[in-house]
Every structure is written in structure tokens, then in C-alpha cells.
Amino acid sequence: MFGHLVPCSGGKSIDLARTNVYLGRRPDADRDAPLNAQTALCRLRFVDGWWHVDDLLGRGDVRVNHERVQSCRLNRLDELAIGRARFRIDYIPPEDFSVLSETLEEIAESVLSSQSNLGLLKSSQPASAPPPVSLAAVRPARTPPSPRSPPAVPSTTGMSTTTDLLIVAPSLPSELLGRLIPLGGGADYPLMKPTILVGRQPPCDIILRVATVSSKHCTLELTEGYWQVKDLGSRNGVRVDSVRCDQAWIFPESRLSIADQRFRLDYTPEGLPPVPNPAQRPSLMAQAGLVGEELERMMTRPAGPGTQDRDSERKRFELLEEG
């Protein structure tokens, strides 16, 4: 499997299981003919770990991040529009592997540097120093530490030449503080640190490659157990429950809009809920308790029989004249 095409409007994703995939059917093509270079609107090519898109007609039916293209490379989570159908391509490009390899190289360099410093420390002992004394001969035997307790790092003050130095490699962050879930479908964004920068370009933590999103759009901050969003002067702004605001708290049932991209922030709050900011005025729907999934169910609920307002029916009036 080389990746997935996730519909922006929701639905089942399309598996990219081959290195050449044809999408869309030309209006003049035979409906029963298989998709190929003569019948499809565009082609996806997987070359050197990257997906590329080619417009086979050259009429502007293919757009990447709202821009018409003839042939270009696709980054992860780019928006691909073929006519009226909109998708997001989800795969792991080679640059993600390079970031991981650079992190592992930094850890290895730090370990090797610590080992080289230890060798210099042992070689710096003067030649006239007395022979080292075994620690087992002067210290009583101790019981080994409990398996659950971490090993203690020996102090460098008055350290003997026979004392070993404990080398601890830096650990990568592994605590999941929440997830940013796209409402239109697509992969979730894990929130691994208390301050997240969201924008269209690096060095943002969450990159939304959409033209409506600013290069540095907003930040998500975890404060006293609750997440809040801060607008960084973006062009299309930030909305929480359809209310535009510069800074607002995001509760688990709230809906967050970054430009025209809608999300739900999934996390478990801790402590007492904070007081909403003065600029965060709830809408009439929120005041009535219609937010989140309850509002979406109401908007998609079909109208039942007999729900027509009787007052809206045409009424007839007669004018009677008395002679």
C-alpha cells in the first residue's frame, strides 16, 4: 500500500495500491471502458517515494490546494480536486524518514560524545597517583535495587577511577495530550506537546497545505488542563463554534475552524472548567445547548410527515355586505 485518497466530504478512502492510478472519466469516454490514459482525466504516479499528479487533458480540471496544475509533486495531506471531487492524499514521503534518521543520528552522536568524554576523564589521571582501590573492598555489600526503581546516576564529586558513568540517551516525547480530528475526513493530528503551532509551512508542528491557511496561522496551548486557541493575525481567522475570536477556550464538544478547515479537538480535560474569554460569546445555538454532535444530528435529521406549519397554508377570507 502506497497511500490513501481521503474524500474531504467524508466517505470511504481510496487505497493507492499501485504506482500508477487513473482517476476521473472524460465526458466523451465510454462508460464501460477501463480507466487509462485515453479515458481518464488525470493520473497519479509514485516515483522515488513521492506521488505526482498529471492533468491528461490540460483543461484545468485538476487543482492542488485550490491552484490549477498541469503536473506537480504532491506532499502529504495536500488537497487534490478533480472536477468537483475533492480529496486529501495521505502517505509517508521520504522527508518524514529523513527527519526520523536525523533524530536517531543526534542521539547516537550524544552517546558517542559522552563516551569520548569519559575516556578523556580516565586518561587525565596523573602517573604518580596510587593504584585504584576496589570499591567492593571498602564498601559493604548492598542489595540490588528494585526492578521498578530507576538506577541512580553516580556523583562526579570525588569519583574514583573505577566508577562507571551512566549514559542516558535523550528520550523522545511519547505522551499524547489530545488529537485534532478533521471533520471532513483524513488522518488525525496527534498533540504531543503543550504548545502547538499550526500553519501552512514549516516550522509549524501541524502543517495544513491549503491556500486559505496562513503560513503561521494560530497556536494551540494546553493551560491548566484545557486547550485554547490563539490567532496569530491570520488572514481568514479562527472560529470556535462558528464565532470568530482572537483567543478562545476549546472544550471537547466545541468545533474549531482554522480558515475553512473544520476540526474537533479530542482530549480529556482536567480540573475545573475555565471562565470563557469576554470575546468568546456563545452563539444562539450554543446558548440553546445545540453544539457539536447534537447540532450536526439536528441539521441532518430528515423532516417527518405532518411537520408543515398550518399557519403557512393559504387562507381564504370572504367579505359579506349587508344591504
Side-chain angles (χ1 to χ4, degrees):
M1 195 69 60
F2 300 100
H4 305 274
L5 280 180
V6 183
C8 294
S9 58
K12 186 178 180 180
S13 60
I14 301 175
D15 297 333
L16 301 177
R18 295 176 296 177
T19 56
N20 281 278
V21 179
Y22 293 92
L23 297 173
R25 189 179 296 275
R26 300 184 185 182
D28 55 348
D30 186 6
R31 292 288 178 181
D32 297 330
L35 287 178
N36 50 39
Q38 288 72 35
T39 60
L41 291 176
C42 71
R43 175 181 58 189
L44 294 179
R45 296 180 291 112
F46 191 72
V47 181
D48 296 333
W50 295 90
W51 279 104
H52 299 73
V53 61
D54 300 322
D55 188 352
L56 299 179
L57 292 183
R59 301 186 309 184
D61 295 329
V62 179
R63 299 181 302 278
V64 176
N65 297 331
H66 306 282
E67 296 182 2
R68 295 181 179 180
V69 297
Q70 180 63 34
S71 179
C72 73
R73 191 179 73 180
L74 297 173
N75 296 311
R76 183 174 181 265
L77 300 181
D78 275 355
E79 180 179 311
L80 173 63
I82 307 170
R84 296 183 178 180
R86 295 167 53 243
F87 303 91
R88 287 199 181 278
I89 185 166
D90 187 10
Y91 74 105
I92 302 178
E95 64 179 5
D96 290 353
F97 291 108
S98 63
V99 172
L100 179 59
S101 62
E102 290 177 0
T103 304
L104 295 177
E105 289 178 0
E106 292 177 357
I107 295 175
E109 290 178 359
S110 63
V111 173
L112 293 177
S113 176
S114 301
Q115 291 178 348
S116 62
N117 294 335
L118 178 60
L120 292 176
L121 180 61
K122 291 183 177 180
S123 61
S124 62
Q125 182 181 4
S128 60
V133 181
S134 176
L135 294 181
V138 297
R139 291 184 181 178
R142 295 180 300 176
T143 57
S146 174
R148 296 184 179 180
S149 60
V153 179
S155 175
T156 57
T157 304
M159 182 176 61
S160 173
T161 56
T162 58
T163 305
D164 294 333
L165 178 64
L166 180 63
I167 301 174
V168 181
S171 59
L172 298 177
S174 59
E175 183 180 3
L176 181 63
L177 303 178
R179 294 182 301 148
L180 192 64
I181 304 175
L183 295 182
D188 300 346
Y189 298 95
L191 306 179
M192 306 299 295
K193 56 183 183 178
T195 301
I196 303 293
L197 179 61
V198 183
R200 192 180 68 253
Q201 299 175 355
C204 294
D205 302 302
I206 295 178
I207 299 178
L208 304 176
R209 299 186 184 275
V210 182
T212 54
V213 177
S214 302
S215 57
K216 293 183 179 179
H217 200 100
C218 64
T219 59
L220 300 175
E221 296 182 2
L222 183 63
T223 306
E224 297 181 357
Y226 285 81
W227 284 94
Q228 62 176 338
V229 61
K230 293 182 180 179
D231 192 359
L232 299 179
S234 60
R235 182 175 68 254
N236 294 314
V238 173
R239 289 177 172 83
V240 176
D241 292 332
S242 303
V243 178
R244 183 162 182 169
C245 47
D246 296 332
Q247 180 176 351
W249 294 99
I250 308 175
F251 300 100
E253 68 273 8
S254 301
R255 294 297 184 265
L256 172 64
S257 297
I258 302 175
D260 58 350
Q261 308 297 307
R262 299 175 63 245
F263 301 91
R264 176 174 63 89
L265 209 159
D266 183 17
Y267 72 102
T268 302
E270 297 179 359
L272 297 176
V275 179
N277 300 324
Q280 189 178 0
R281 298 178 180 178
S283 61
L284 296 178
M285 290 292 186
Q287 294 179 10
L290 300 175
V291 294
E293 298 179 357
E294 181 64 26
L295 178 59
E296 294 179 0
R297 284 197 298 268
M298 187 192 72
M299 297 298 293
T300 57
R301 183 182 304 165
T307 57
Q308 183 179 4
D309 189 2
R310 296 183 178 180
D311 295 336
S312 63
E313 299 179 358
R314 184 177 298 176
K315 298 181 180 181
R316 299 180 61 184
F317 297 91
E318 296 181 359
L319 181 62
L320 302 180
E321 297 182 357
E322 296 181 359

